[in-house]
Amino acid sequence: MQILFIGDIFGRPGRTIVKDRLPEIVRQHGIDLIIANGENSAAGFGITPALAEELFDLGIDVITTGNHVWDKREIIDYFQMVEGNGGGPQRRVLRPANYPSDMPGWGVYEGRKGKISYAVMNLQGRVFMASNDDPFRVADQLLVDFHAEATSEKISIGWYLDGRVTAVLGTHTHVPTADERVLPNGTAYVTDVGMTGPYDGVIGVKKELVVGKFLNGMPVRFEPATGDVRLCGVVIDCDEKTGKARAIQRLTLC
Ligand SMILES: [Fe+2]
Ligand SMILES: [Fe+2]
């Protein structure tokens, strides 16, 4: 089974490159299952129901998120439209599983592709981020999107879950890291998949605005950058009998 994971899709530039390039990736790599982080798809901040459905229409199976999940309030109503593990599109948008359990939405999705069953879990780190439940203990259960700031926390959860999940894929920092590998017990790992969006900026935002904020500390409304749009993802070759990864390959398409 070939699994494609697409890193943080940022604003319209990110959505457009996914739309333009996804069919060729699927063809070239024989992709069976597509998961994408969509926490920045609405102009960098959050995701709306309409944008989630636009991504599903492109063939994405499950959308993960992170600390930006609540930026667009409509997503709360969307989550409240489903009960249980139904196959509806609302159920296939995840928020981190280690948020308080009475928050709207779900952190795990269990689905099927043909005869193969799979599970996706979204987790958020606690280092330099909001304090959530312990992501290590919540994860004790297939493919994990670990949305975290600190590389040490990400690498640690990779080792902690090695052999128990197909992949631990880092998101959130928006910069692809060159450390993709299959850990000794069969878990594919990368510290950060990298953003799918404009690289002519600072992690997706117009560079003048962010540089200005560093210079003068004044509040500023962040707007998505537009240039140098790249799609960053990883393809995981997975043995569907054991759930173990055989290989992980990093993709960057311009
Ligand atoms: Fe992000
Ligand atoms: Fe994030």
Side-chain angles (χ1 to χ4, degrees), residues 8-246:
D8 304 43
I9 301 173
F10 198 100
R12 184 181 299 275
R15 295 185 334 253
T16 304
I17 194 169
V18 170
K19 187 173 166 206
D20 292 346
R21 307 302 295 272
L22 191 56
E24 74 182 77
I25 300 176
V26 169
R27 220 177 319 114
Q28 275 181 2
H29 296 270
I31 300 296
D32 303 298
L33 175 67
I34 309 172
I35 298 145
N37 185 298
E39 71 153 2
N40 307 112
S41 46
F45 294 90
I47 184 165
T48 63
L51 292 178
E53 300 206 352
E54 186 185 306
L55 295 174
F56 287 135
D57 287 344
L58 299 178
I60 292 169
D61 296 290
V62 181
I63 300 173
T64 57
T65 60
N67 55 306
H68 286 291
V69 62
W70 309 128
D71 289 359
K72 294 280 177 284
R73 308 287 298 175
E74 307 93 289
I75 204 69
I76 296 173
D77 303 328
Y78 195 61
F79 283 151
Q80 283 164 342
M81 288 164 72
V82 257
E83 295 272 315
N85 196 34
Q90 304 88 355
R91 186 60 189 78
R92 290 186 281 123
V93 180
L94 300 180
R95 49 109 171 127
N98 54 330
Y99 282 8
S101 56
D102 53 351
M103 296 297 282
W106 290 265
V108 182
Y109 177 73
E110 292 174 63
R112 287 188 78 79
K113 267 285 164 173
K115 290 186 184 145
I116 303 166
S117 56
Y118 66 90
V120 180
M121 179 184 280
N122 197 183
L123 284 172
Q124 185 171 315
R126 297 198 294 187
V127 178
F128 311 124
M129 298 186 89
S131 49
N132 305 299
D133 289 350
D134 180 355
F136 288 79
R137 287 182 173 81
V138 173
D140 281 346
Q141 284 178 46
L142 260 136
L143 186 142
V144 177
D145 170 1
F146 189 42
H147 198 81
E149 189 74 44
T151 50
S152 58
E153 191 181 20
K154 289 167 147 175
I155 295 170
S156 298
I157 211 157
W159 286 118
Y160 182 67
L161 294 178
D162 182 24
R164 295 191 282 153
V165 301
T166 304
V168 173
L169 307 171
T171 57
H172 177 69
T173 49
H174 288 203
V175 178
T177 58
D179 62 339
E180 75 280 7
R181 59 175 160 162
V182 178
L183 297 172
N185 296 314
T187 294
Y189 175 83
V190 67
T191 297
D192 207 288
V193 174
M195 169 186 74
T196 293
Y199 278 73
D200 178 31
V202 178
I203 60 172
V205 173
K206 280 187 178 159
K207 53 185 180 296
E208 312 80 63
L209 302 175
V210 183
V211 173
K213 187 161 189 214
F214 276 109
L215 286 170
N216 58 35
M218 302 277 283
V220 60
R221 207 187 119 91
F222 284 163
E223 292 167 38
T226 52
D228 190 14
V229 181
R230 303 181 202 175
L231 185 156
C232 285
V234 289
V235 176
I236 292 140
D237 176 11
C238 161
D239 179 339
E240 60 264 25
K241 290 197 187 74
T242 61
K244 296 200 181 219
R246 284 188 282 243

